[in-house]
Amino acid sequence: MPELPEVETVRLGLVRLIIGLAVESVTSDNQKSFPNAIADVEQFLIGAKIVGVRRRAKVLLIDLDSSYSLVIHLKMTGQLVFRGKESFGAGHPTSSLIGQLPDKSTRVILNLSEGAVLYFNDQRKFGWMRLIPTSEVENIDFFKKVGPEPLDTDFTSQVFIERLMRRKNSNIKSVILDQTVLAGVGNIYADESLWGAKIHPSSRVVDIPKPRLKNLHTELIYVLKLAIEKGGSTDRNYVNAEGKKGSYMSFARVFRRENQPCPRCGSVIIKTRVAGRGTHTCPKCQKT
DNA sequence: CACTTGACCTGTCCGC
DNA sequence: TGCGGACAGGTCAAGT
């Protein structure tokens, strides 16, 4: 499910909803989703106050005043859904994708102060959350290897192209999906940005003219920013911190639009497999 | 070393 | 309606 724009949307919601609240109790339905030892949870999570919510790549960090942080990766089907006291009343929003919580995909429940609850749902159990000292976050293997944030101002086209060249013999799609090259891109925004730059996903990096790669840099930033503005993409699972859908899918140009016309040239969009992933392209606009 | 493939899980959709 | 197989937005380990 969530790529950079979806995780960022969840973060923006959580910043509004949970900062200042304290964790009162925690329950987890399996060891994999939340592997921390009970003793650590008791000492550094229970009673701690939430002081910040950050994002790096597709990872969320909930900072606590115990000098520990909850590190959360939603992987494919994870959700973090907040319910305040008032959410349980009769005026419950109908636009919510999910109903009564907890449901059968609920893995962890964080009971917060003021009657609020944060649910970590994850149908496929690929996601996880872990409690670690805030000062050690940067030492997690993933963070040591992960590439730059594409929306940072110092992520120039020069930096982008330089990093693409580290894998110059691979197909471009698998390279922009590689989190060590740049952070945050997943299958949706890979397809969307490659279409925008008129690049075929299986082109080898080294065979793509530099100006095209520059276009790809522009398109990636454009698509990620637009998707944040639209609250992310809801295909099946993704919801924001209030349990509501994102609307980028109705702006998508190729993703999940197989058999429909290309918005640029009218050709029929096709779905194939590149880098082991479902891949959407316009056969006329994206020639190799 | 660079690069590709399969595994991790559960649910859904599609064809027979 | 039931059943088997393919597939689903991410990442890592193990393979070539």
Side-chain angles (χ1 to χ4, degrees):
Chain A
M1 132 208 192
E3 307 181 30
L4 185 153
E6 288 73 34
V7 179
E8 180 63 14
T9 302
V10 172
R11 187 189 75 80
L12 290 168
L14 291 179
V15 164
R16 261 189 313 109
L17 296 165
I18 65 171
I19 289 186
L21 299 181
V23 180
E24 293 186 342
S25 64
V26 183
T27 60
S28 170
D29 85 333
N30 76 80
Q31 189 66 16
K32 195 187 155 192
S33 298
F34 188 25
N36 282 86
I38 291 171
D40 287 343
V41 170
E42 293 275 326
Q43 191 174 354
F44 300 110
L45 182 59
I46 307 302
K49 197 161 141 190
I50 295 162
V51 293
V53 186
R54 294 178 289 152
R55 178 190 61 76
R56 173 77 171 99
K58 300 171 189 170
V59 178
L60 276 170
L61 302 161
I62 299 179
D63 296 318
L64 305 161
D65 69 354
S66 60
S67 80
Y68 270 62
S69 299
L70 277 173
V71 184
I72 305 169
H73 201 311
L74 302 173
K75 291 285 182 84
M76 302 276 255
T77 56
Q79 306 172 326
L80 273 181
V81 183
F82 176 90
R83 290 285 156 92
K85 223 183 207 161
E86 66 282 0
S87 309
F88 295 98
H92 189 64
T94 50
S95 58
S96 176
L97 184 67
I98 47 187
Q100 196 75 14
L101 288 175
D103 62 24
K104 63 180 167 180
S105 76
T106 300
R107 307 299 168 208
V108 184
I109 301 173
L110 293 174
N111 292 299
L112 306 176
S113 50
E114 297 175 21
V117 187
L118 188 62
Y119 295 92
F120 175 38
N121 297 337
D122 186 15
Q123 177 188 109
R124 289 170 76 178
K125 298 184 187 171
F126 289 172
W128 45 261
M129 55 192 282
R130 272 184 300 161
L131 183 67
I132 69 165
T134 306
S135 61
E136 284 176 25
V137 166
E138 61 195 75
N139 299 324
I140 294 176
D141 284 349
F142 178 81
F143 284 134
K144 285 198 289 198
K145 293 181 305 186
V146 74
E149 288 291 325
L151 299 184
D152 280 0
T153 49
D154 53 0
F155 184 69
T156 60
S157 61
Q158 197 180 352
V159 170
F160 176 59
I161 293 171
E162 209 176 279
R163 298 184 71 87
L164 292 182
M165 288 304 160
R166 305 189 332 180
R167 294 191 53 191
K168 60 191 163 102
N169 292 314
S170 293
N171 65 73
I172 183 70
K173 180 164 177 175
S174 64
V175 177
I176 59 174
L177 287 173
D178 182 342
Q179 300 299 296
T180 69
V181 173
L182 77 160
V185 177
N187 208 31
I188 300 175
Y189 304 109
D191 282 5
E192 290 288 292
S193 59
L194 287 166
W195 178 89
K198 301 187 181 178
I199 296 171
H200 195 280
S202 22
S203 302
R204 286 198 319 164
V205 171
V206 74
D207 295 335
I208 304 168
K210 286 275 158 67
R212 273 294 159 78
L213 293 179
K214 236 178 142 173
N215 291 343
L216 181 58
H217 172 260
T218 308
E219 286 296 324
L220 264 173
I221 292 169
Y222 165 74
V223 162
L224 294 173
K225 281 187 174 166
L226 176 64
I228 292 172
E229 225 177 274
K230 301 301 173 192
S233 298
T234 297
D235 188 21
R236 10 177 37 128
N237 284 279
Y238 168 73
V239 292
N240 66 20
E242 295 177 273
K244 294 181 184 167
K245 304 178 187 183
S247 67
Y248 180 87
M249 288 301 281
S250 52
F251 295 81
R253 286 90 43 99
V254 284
F255 191 80
R256 281 287 165 108
R257 294 193 66 248
E258 59 269 33
N259 304 322
Q260 296 178 56
C262 166
R264 195 162 43 206
C265 77
S267 302
V268 175
I269 291 164
I270 56 170
K271 184 173 180 185
T272 57
R273 224 163 168 75
V274 176
R277 320 293 297 275
T279 298
H280 310 76
T281 52
C282 169
K284 194 169 164 204
C285 293
Q286 294 168 272
K287 292 272 186 206
T288 69

